[in-house]
Amino acid sequence: MTERRPTLLSRFVQWVVLWLYRWKGWTIAGDAPTARKFVITGAPHTTNWDFIFFVGTINKLGLKPSFVGKLSLFRGPLKWFMYDMGGLPVDRSKRNSKYVEQTAAYFEKMDDLALVVAPEGTRGSDGTWRSGFYHIALKAGVPIVPAWVNHATMKGGIGPAIMPTGDYAADLAKIAAFYRSVMPDCLRFERLAASAAALKDAATESLKEKLP
């Protein structure tokens, strides 16, 4: 069976994205992960240019980025465009709440998968992260690779892979420490570190209450 050629629209959009990436002139730090499957956390998410940067950077590192999208986007005229852009459909309807399981299953099916997630959710985030990225990586048994972008300096990059241990607070603290090392003045990452510390304190208090 021959491989399907990407649609004209998807080829054009990819060309535009990569052209914009080169035109902006970002400088990147870090190397491509050695693992073949991993979850990439993109932060801080402050502008629509973030998408251009992360797609361009991952492409430059020789990786093909993927993302999850709701099932309805993979029907009708957008179907092949979404697949060509790296989309992976998940059913997020009320009757199917197994988002983490569905997404983690793709890691079992695919030989290579660089899944990009924006854990802040929206550009207006205060730095609080949603934990879905972590549960997906933990379920799939793959590392988390932090990626960052600083539009003020036109720099960004890829950090070291962090394997989830099941201790969310401790692992989140490691991730926050990396982000603060590359962007120490970013208030969002201060909030992320504080969130990790609060989770650790809450876990400690819960453990104390259970002790005789």
Side-chain angles (χ1 to χ4, degrees):
M1 182 178 178
T2 58
E3 186 176 348
R4 182 185 61 81
R5 181 177 174 80
T7 65
L8 179 62
L9 176 60
S10 62
R11 281 182 280 143
F12 175 73
V13 170
Q14 288 174 341
W15 180 86
V16 170
V17 168
L18 294 178
W19 182 86
L20 287 171
Y21 172 81
R22 291 189 291 268
W23 173 69
K24 290 288 284 185
W26 275 294
T27 300
I28 60 174
D31 301 314
T34 56
R36 297 179 64 179
K37 304 178 186 182
F38 45 90
V39 172
I40 298 177
T41 56
H45 182 28
T46 59
T47 169
N48 287 330
W49 281 104
D50 296 339
F51 172 77
I52 305 295
F53 170 79
F54 287 120
V55 171
T57 296
I58 294 172
N59 181 274
K60 190 171 183 178
L61 292 174
L63 307 170
K64 182 180 178 181
S66 294
F67 63 93
V68 293
K70 57 184 180 180
L71 188 61
S72 60
L73 294 175
F74 292 81
R75 294 169 177 162
L78 284 177
K79 175 181 178 180
W80 293 118
F81 171 77
M82 292 295 292
Y83 280 117
D84 291 342
M85 295 303 292
L88 302 172
V90 294
D91 183 358
R92 304 198 69 171
S93 62
K94 290 183 178 180
R95 67 176 181 276
N96 189 343
S97 59
K98 297 182 179 180
Y99 164 72
V100 169
E101 289 79 2
Q102 289 182 79
T103 306
Y106 282 110
F107 285 96
E108 180 70 25
K109 298 174 184 177
M110 303 173 70
D111 294 329
D112 298 274
L113 179 54
L115 181 67
V116 180
V117 179
E120 291 175 323
T122 67
R123 296 191 302 274
S125 169
D126 62 359
T128 301
W129 281 24
R130 300 174 180 176
S131 61
F133 78 95
Y134 184 84
H135 296 298
I136 291 168
L138 184 65
K139 179 81 173 174
V142 300
I144 297 164
V145 177
W148 60 281
V149 57
N150 187 335
H151 292 283
T153 61
M154 295 303 294
K155 295 180 180 179
I158 301 289
I162 297 172
M163 197 70 189
T165 63
D167 186 338
Y168 179 55
D171 293 339
L172 189 63
K174 294 178 186 177
I175 295 171
F178 166 76
Y179 277 111
R180 294 198 70 188
S181 72
V182 293
M183 294 182 67
D185 298 326
C186 181
L187 294 178
R188 292 195 184 192
F189 294 147
E190 286 186 21
R191 176 62 181 272
L192 181 63
S195 296
L199 286 170
K200 182 178 180 180
D201 290 343
T204 301
E205 288 300 318
S206 177
L207 181 61
K208 288 180 179 179
E209 292 175 359
K210 293 179 181 178
L211 293 175

PDB file of all heavy atoms in Angstrom, residues 28-48:
ATOM      1  N   ILE A  28      17.574  28.647  18.956  1.00  0.00           N
ATOM      2  CA  ILE A  28      17.136  27.534  19.794  1.00  0.00           C
ATOM      3  C   ILE A  28      18.312  26.904  20.524  1.00  0.00           C
ATOM      4  O   ILE A  28      19.446  26.897  20.036  1.00  0.00           O
ATOM      5  CB  ILE A  28      16.390  26.456  18.989  1.00  0.00           C
ATOM      6  CG1 ILE A  28      17.277  25.866  17.887  1.00  0.00           C
ATOM      7  CG2 ILE A  28      15.126  27.008  18.404  1.00  0.00           C
ATOM      8  CD1 ILE A  28      16.630  24.694  17.176  1.00  0.00           C
ATOM      9  N   ALA A  29      18.027  26.400  21.721  1.00  0.00           N
ATOM     10  CA  ALA A  29      19.033  25.723  22.543  1.00  0.00           C
ATOM     11  C   ALA A  29      18.527  24.328  22.875  1.00  0.00           C
ATOM     12  O   ALA A  29      17.324  24.100  22.988  1.00  0.00           O
ATOM     13  CB  ALA A  29      19.277  26.511  23.823  1.00  0.00           C
ATOM     14  N   GLY A  30      19.462  23.406  23.048  1.00  0.00           N
ATOM     15  CA  GLY A  30      19.063  22.043  23.390  1.00  0.00           C
ATOM     16  C   GLY A  30      19.078  21.125  22.185  1.00  0.00           C
ATOM     17  O   GLY A  30      19.075  21.573  21.037  1.00  0.00           O
ATOM     18  N   ASP A  31      19.089  19.849  22.451  1.00  0.00           N
ATOM     19  CA  ASP A  31      19.141  18.832  21.400  1.00  0.00           C
ATOM     20  C   ASP A  31      17.854  18.018  21.363  1.00  0.00           C
ATOM     21  O   ASP A  31      17.099  17.986  22.338  1.00  0.00           O
ATOM     22  CB  ASP A  31      20.326  17.887  21.636  1.00  0.00           C
ATOM     23  CG  ASP A  31      21.656  18.627  21.660  1.00  0.00           C
ATOM     24  OD1 ASP A  31      21.867  19.463  20.756  1.00  0.00           O
ATOM     25  OD2 ASP A  31      22.469  18.367  22.563  1.00  0.00           O
ATOM     26  N   ALA A  32      17.648  17.360  20.256  1.00  0.00           N
ATOM     27  CA  ALA A  32      16.481  16.491  20.125  1.00  0.00           C
ATOM     28  C   ALA A  32      16.569  15.354  21.129  1.00  0.00           C
ATOM     29  O   ALA A  32      17.663  14.831  21.392  1.00  0.00           O
ATOM     30  CB  ALA A  32      16.401  15.932  18.710  1.00  0.00           C
ATOM     31  N   PRO A  33      15.452  14.961  21.732  1.00  0.00           N
ATOM     32  CA  PRO A  33      15.467  13.837  22.685  1.00  0.00           C
ATOM     33  C   PRO A  33      15.949  12.550  22.018  1.00  0.00           C
ATOM     34  O   PRO A  33      15.745  12.341  20.823  1.00  0.00           O
ATOM     35  CB  PRO A  33      13.993  13.726  23.099  1.00  0.00           C
ATOM     36  CG  PRO A  33      13.402  15.067  22.791  1.00  0.00           C
ATOM     37  CD  PRO A  33      14.124  15.556  21.573  1.00  0.00           C
ATOM     38  N   THR A  34      16.595  11.711  22.796  1.00  0.00           N
ATOM     39  CA  THR A  34      17.052  10.433  22.252  1.00  0.00           C
ATOM     40  C   THR A  34      15.908   9.425  22.197  1.00  0.00           C
ATOM     41  O   THR A  34      15.954   8.474  21.409  1.00  0.00           O
ATOM     42  CB  THR A  34      18.191   9.865  23.111  1.00  0.00           C
ATOM     43  OG1 THR A  34      17.746   9.760  24.476  1.00  0.00           O
ATOM     44  CG2 THR A  34      19.414  10.771  23.058  1.00  0.00           C
ATOM     45  N   ALA A  35      14.901   9.615  23.034  1.00  0.00           N
ATOM     46  CA  ALA A  35      13.744   8.714  23.017  1.00  0.00           C
ATOM     47  C   ALA A  35      12.947   8.912  21.730  1.00  0.00           C
ATOM     48  O   ALA A  35      12.962   9.984  21.126  1.00  0.00           O
ATOM     49  CB  ALA A  35      12.859   8.983  24.228  1.00  0.00           C
ATOM     50  N   ARG A  36      12.240   7.884  21.317  1.00  0.00           N
ATOM     51  CA  ARG A  36      11.438   7.968  20.096  1.00  0.00           C
ATOM     52  C   ARG A  36       9.998   8.387  20.384  1.00  0.00           C
ATOM     53  O   ARG A  36       9.263   8.782  19.481  1.00  0.00           O
ATOM     54  CB  ARG A  36      11.452   6.619  19.375  1.00  0.00           C
ATOM     55  CG  ARG A  36      12.839   6.197  18.908  1.00  0.00           C
ATOM     56  CD  ARG A  36      12.821   4.846  18.206  1.00  0.00           C
ATOM     57  NE  ARG A  36      12.044   4.879  16.981  1.00  0.00           N
ATOM     58  CZ  ARG A  36      11.899   3.822  16.170  1.00  0.00           C
ATOM     59  NH1 ARG A  36      12.472   2.665  16.499  1.00  0.00           N
ATOM     60  NH2 ARG A  36      11.187   3.919  15.072  1.00  0.00           N
ATOM     61  N   LYS A  37       9.609   8.290  21.658  1.00  0.00           N
ATOM     62  CA  LYS A  37       8.251   8.667  22.055  1.00  0.00           C
ATOM     63  C   LYS A  37       8.323   9.512  23.327  1.00  0.00           C
ATOM     64  O   LYS A  37       9.015   9.134  24.281  1.00  0.00           O
ATOM     65  CB  LYS A  37       7.401   7.419  22.324  1.00  0.00           C
ATOM     66  CG  LYS A  37       7.326   6.426  21.171  1.00  0.00           C
ATOM     67  CD  LYS A  37       6.505   5.209  21.558  1.00  0.00           C
ATOM     68  CE  LYS A  37       6.534   4.137  20.479  1.00  0.00           C
ATOM     69  NZ  LYS A  37       5.684   2.966  20.832  1.00  0.00           N
ATOM     70  N   PHE A  38       7.618  10.631  23.332  1.00  0.00           N
ATOM     71  CA  PHE A  38       7.648  11.507  24.495  1.00  0.00           C
ATOM     72  C   PHE A  38       6.545  12.556  24.391  1.00  0.00           C
ATOM     73  O   PHE A  38       5.982  12.794  23.316  1.00  0.00           O
ATOM     74  CB  PHE A  38       9.008  12.195  24.632  1.00  0.00           C
ATOM     75  CG  PHE A  38       9.548  12.745  23.340  1.00  0.00           C
ATOM     76  CD1 PHE A  38       9.257  14.035  22.933  1.00  0.00           C
ATOM     77  CD2 PHE A  38      10.336  11.960  22.510  1.00  0.00           C
ATOM     78  CE1 PHE A  38       9.739  14.541  21.738  1.00  0.00           C
ATOM     79  CE2 PHE A  38      10.825  12.445  21.291  1.00  0.00           C
ATOM     80  CZ  PHE A  38      10.529  13.741  20.921  1.00  0.00           C
ATOM     81  N   VAL A  39       6.247  13.180  25.528  1.00  0.00           N
ATOM     82  CA  VAL A  39       5.298  14.284  25.591  1.00  0.00           C
ATOM     83  C   VAL A  39       6.092  15.576  25.717  1.00  0.00           C
ATOM     84  O   VAL A  39       6.970  15.687  26.580  1.00  0.00           O
ATOM     85  CB  VAL A  39       4.348  14.138  26.799  1.00  0.00           C
ATOM     86  CG1 VAL A  39       3.488  15.401  26.962  1.00  0.00           C
ATOM     87  CG2 VAL A  39       3.452  12.911  26.636  1.00  0.00           C
ATOM     88  N   ILE A  40       5.829  16.542  24.859  1.00  0.00           N
ATOM     89  CA  ILE A  40       6.493  17.840  24.908  1.00  0.00           C
ATOM     90  C   ILE A  40       5.548  18.851  25.548  1.00  0.00           C
ATOM     91  O   ILE A  40       4.422  19.030  25.090  1.00  0.00           O
ATOM     92  CB  ILE A  40       6.881  18.334  23.503  1.00  0.00           C
ATOM     93  CG1 ILE A  40       7.873  17.370  22.841  1.00  0.00           C
ATOM     94  CG2 ILE A  40       7.471  19.740  23.567  1.00  0.00           C
ATOM     95  CD1 ILE A  40       8.238  17.751  21.420  1.00  0.00           C
ATOM     96  N   THR A  41       5.997  19.513  26.601  1.00  0.00           N
ATOM     97  CA  THR A  41       5.207  20.585  27.210  1.00  0.00           C
ATOM     98  C   THR A  41       5.705  21.915  26.675  1.00  0.00           C
ATOM     99  O   THR A  41       6.876  22.266  26.844  1.00  0.00           O
ATOM    100  CB  THR A  41       5.323  20.567  28.745  1.00  0.00           C
ATOM    101  OG1 THR A  41       6.709  20.639  29.128  1.00  0.00           O
ATOM    102  CG2 THR A  41       4.712  19.298  29.307  1.00  0.00           C
ATOM    103  N   GLY A  42       4.833  22.662  26.017  1.00  0.00           N
ATOM    104  CA  GLY A  42       5.186  23.961  25.470  1.00  0.00           C
ATOM    105  C   GLY A  42       4.724  25.077  26.388  1.00  0.00           C
ATOM    106  O   GLY A  42       3.540  25.197  26.673  1.00  0.00           O
ATOM    107  N   ALA A  43       5.671  25.887  26.878  1.00  0.00           N
ATOM    108  CA  ALA A  43       5.315  26.964  27.805  1.00  0.00           C
ATOM    109  C   ALA A  43       6.387  28.065  27.756  1.00  0.00           C
ATOM    110  O   ALA A  43       7.530  27.792  27.354  1.00  0.00           O
ATOM    111  CB  ALA A  43       5.190  26.402  29.227  1.00  0.00           C
ATOM    112  N   PRO A  44       6.072  29.292  28.140  1.00  0.00           N
ATOM    113  CA  PRO A  44       4.727  29.771  28.466  1.00  0.00           C
ATOM    114  C   PRO A  44       3.936  30.050  27.187  1.00  0.00           C
ATOM    115  O   PRO A  44       4.513  30.425  26.170  1.00  0.00           O
ATOM    116  CB  PRO A  44       5.010  31.077  29.224  1.00  0.00           C
ATOM    117  CG  PRO A  44       6.281  31.586  28.596  1.00  0.00           C
ATOM    118  CD  PRO A  44       7.095  30.355  28.308  1.00  0.00           C
ATOM    119  N   HIS A  45       2.637  29.849  27.251  1.00  0.00           N
ATOM    120  CA  HIS A  45       1.774  30.059  26.090  1.00  0.00           C
ATOM    121  C   HIS A  45       1.186  31.470  26.182  1.00  0.00           C
ATOM    122  O   HIS A  45       0.223  31.701  26.890  1.00  0.00           O
ATOM    123  CB  HIS A  45       0.674  29.014  26.085  1.00  0.00           C
ATOM    124  CG  HIS A  45      -0.255  29.102  24.910  1.00  0.00           C
ATOM    125  ND1 HIS A  45       0.141  29.604  23.689  1.00  0.00           N
ATOM    126  CD2 HIS A  45      -1.563  28.761  24.778  1.00  0.00           C
ATOM    127  CE1 HIS A  45      -0.881  29.561  22.848  1.00  0.00           C
ATOM    128  NE2 HIS A  45      -1.922  29.064  23.493  1.00  0.00           N
ATOM    129  N   THR A  46       1.801  32.416  25.474  1.00  0.00           N
ATOM    130  CA  THR A  46       1.408  33.818  25.595  1.00  0.00           C
ATOM    131  C   THR A  46       0.915  34.449  24.305  1.00  0.00           C
ATOM    132  O   THR A  46       0.303  35.521  24.330  1.00  0.00           O
ATOM    133  CB  THR A  46       2.590  34.656  26.112  1.00  0.00           C
ATOM    134  OG1 THR A  46       3.699  34.522  25.202  1.00  0.00           O
ATOM    135  CG2 THR A  46       3.026  34.186  27.496  1.00  0.00           C
ATOM    136  N   THR A  47       1.178  33.821  23.164  1.00  0.00           N
ATOM    137  CA  THR A  47       0.819  34.398  21.884  1.00  0.00           C
ATOM    138  C   THR A  47       0.622  33.307  20.843  1.00  0.00           C
ATOM    139  O   THR A  47       1.114  32.182  21.015  1.00  0.00           O
ATOM    140  CB  THR A  47       1.915  35.369  21.396  1.00  0.00           C
ATOM    141  OG1 THR A  47       1.679  35.740  20.033  1.00  0.00           O
ATOM    142  CG2 THR A  47       3.285  34.728  21.471  1.00  0.00           C
ATOM    143  N   ASN A  48      -0.054  33.625  19.752  1.00  0.00           N
ATOM    144  CA  ASN A  48      -0.240  32.656  18.677  1.00  0.00           C
ATOM    145  C   ASN A  48       1.074  32.312  17.984  1.00  0.00           C
ATOM    146  O   ASN A  48       1.165  31.298  17.286  1.00  0.00           O
ATOM    147  CB  ASN A  48      -1.238  33.187  17.649  1.00  0.00           C
ATOM    148  CG  ASN A  48      -2.657  33.171  18.173  1.00  0.00           C
ATOM    149  OD1 ASN A  48      -3.019  32.340  18.999  1.00  0.00           O
ATOM    150  ND2 ASN A  48      -3.481  34.104  17.718  1.00  0.00           N
TER     151      ASN A  48
END
